[in-house]
C-alpha cells in the first residue's frame, strides 16, 4: 500500500512587538494579541517572516492553515508577499496556542487584513472549547484540529502557522 504524499511545514510567527517595546501594552486595545510591527517600525519579526518566505519560495505550497492571532496572520502575509501565485490562507482557531493567558480568543481575521484569507473556509472549531488553566490546556483541541485537517486534506504541501 502506498501512503499519500504529504509534506508539513510548521512555522512559528515572527518576533512580536511586545518583546521589543515593553510600553506597547500601555496603549494596546488587546494586550494579548501583539502584532509584529507598529506603523513605521519594521521589526525583527517582519524580517524573520521574509526569510522564511524566501526559504519556502521554491516549494509549491498547497494549503496554509493559520492561527487567528494578529502576529500569525501578519507573518503568513509577509511570508507569501513575494510569491507569484500564493495559496489561499485558511484561518484555523484550533491550532492557536494555549488560551490560558488571553483576554479572550482572537477573532477571525478577514480579507481586509489579507486578501488571500479564504472567508469561505469552515474551521474545525467555530467556538473554542474551555481549557485547563495551564500551557498544555490546548493539547486535545490542537490534536483534534490537526486530525481533521489531515483527514480533509490528505495530500500536498501544508503550512501550519501557530501562535
Amino acid at each position: 500500500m502506498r501512503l499519500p504524499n504529504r509534506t508539513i511545514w510548521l512555522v512559528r510567527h515572527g518576533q512580536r512587538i511586545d518583546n521589543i517595546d515593553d510600553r506597547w501594552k500601555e496603549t494596546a486595545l488587546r494586550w494579548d494579541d501583539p502584532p509584529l510591527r507598529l506603523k513605521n517600525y519594521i521589526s525583527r519579526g517582519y524580517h524573520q517572516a521574509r526569510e522564511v518566505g524566501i526559504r519556502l519560495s521554491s516549494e509549491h505550497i498547497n494549503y496554509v492553515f493559520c492561527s487567528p492571532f494578529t502576529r500569525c496572520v501578519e507573518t503568513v502575509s509577509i511570508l507569501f508577499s513575494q510569491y507569484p501565485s500564493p495559496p489561499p490562507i485558511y484561518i484555523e482557531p484550533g491550532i492557536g496556542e494555549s488560551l490560558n493567558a488571553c483576554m479572550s480568543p482572537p477573532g477571525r481575521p478577514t480579507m481586509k487584513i489579507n486578501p488571500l484569507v479564504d472567508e469561505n473556509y469552515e474551521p474545525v472549531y467555530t467556538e473554542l472549547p474551555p481549557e485547563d488553566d495551564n500551557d498544555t490546556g490546548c493539547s486535545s483541541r490542537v490534536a483534534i484540529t490537526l486530525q481533521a485537517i489531515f483527514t480533509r486534506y490528505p495530500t500536498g504541501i501544508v503550512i501550519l502557522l501557530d501562535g
Side-chain angles (χ1 to χ4, degrees):
M1 178 171 98
R2 187 169 192 272
L3 296 175
N5 187 15
R6 177 187 300 140
T7 301
I8 301 167
W9 289 92
L10 300 175
V11 178
R12 179 79 172 157
H13 61 76
Q15 185 179 37
R16 309 175 329 196
I17 197 69
D18 64 326
N19 290 328
I20 300 162
D21 182 357
D22 292 338
R23 297 174 299 147
W24 175 82
K25 289 183 180 183
E26 296 170 11
T27 59
L29 297 175
R30 282 191 56 109
W31 57 263
D32 62 338
D33 193 13
L36 296 185
R37 58 188 170 175
L38 295 176
K39 292 177 187 169
N40 296 322
Y41 177 75
I42 303 296
S43 71
R44 181 170 183 254
Y46 176 88
H47 294 292
Q48 290 168 331
R50 282 192 46 84
E51 289 171 8
V52 172
I54 290 166
R55 166 56 187 93
L56 294 176
S57 65
S58 62
E59 302 289 333
H60 179 71
I61 308 297
N62 301 105
Y63 309 105
V64 179
F65 299 93
C66 180
S67 167
F69 284 99
T70 301
R71 58 193 174 263
C72 297
V73 177
E74 283 183 327
T75 297
V76 81
S77 299
I78 296 162
L79 194 147
F80 287 109
S81 65
Q82 304 299 311
Y83 270 60
S85 57
I89 298 168
Y90 303 130
I91 302 299
E92 184 53 74
I95 62 172
E97 65 186 27
S98 178
L99 301 174
N100 66 319
C102 288
M103 294 167 56
S104 61
R108 190 169 176 189
T110 65
M111 290 178 72
K112 292 176 188 166
I113 292 177
N114 184 322
L116 298 175
V117 170
D118 182 344
E119 292 184 338
N120 296 315
Y121 173 74
E122 292 295 326
V124 175
Y125 286 100
T126 53
E127 286 190 38
L128 296 175
E131 296 179 359
D132 293 336
D133 195 22
N134 60 49
D135 288 340
T136 60
C138 63
S139 299
S140 63
R141 168 179 47 86
V142 172
I144 290 168
T145 302
L146 293 177
Q147 182 63 46
I149 288 171
F150 298 148
T151 299
R152 288 182 196 173
Y153 305 92
T155 62
I157 300 178
V158 177
I159 289 182
L160 298 169
L161 199 136
D162 78 330

